[in-house]
Amino acid sequence: MRAIADIFRMIGGAIATIVTLPFRAVARLFGGMSRGGRRV
């Protein structure tokens, strides 16, 4: 039972990473644009 839970946790973590990466890239892009293009 624990092995199945670990597998689901691994899959969930991988999906979360894949889903959030594009949103982070877009947020960084728009954040840089709104600040006049300079990095903080």
Side-chain angles (χ1 to χ4, degrees), residues 1-37:
M1 206 64 178
R2 186 180 287 169
I4 295 166
D6 285 338
I7 290 165
F8 274 118
R9 200 174 294 125
M10 280 172 57
I11 293 166
I15 291 168
T17 304
I18 292 163
V19 167
T20 54
L21 271 172
F23 289 111
R24 274 192 217 148
V26 169
R28 192 180 300 158
L29 196 81
F30 282 111
M33 281 167 53
S34 68
R35 279 195 294 267

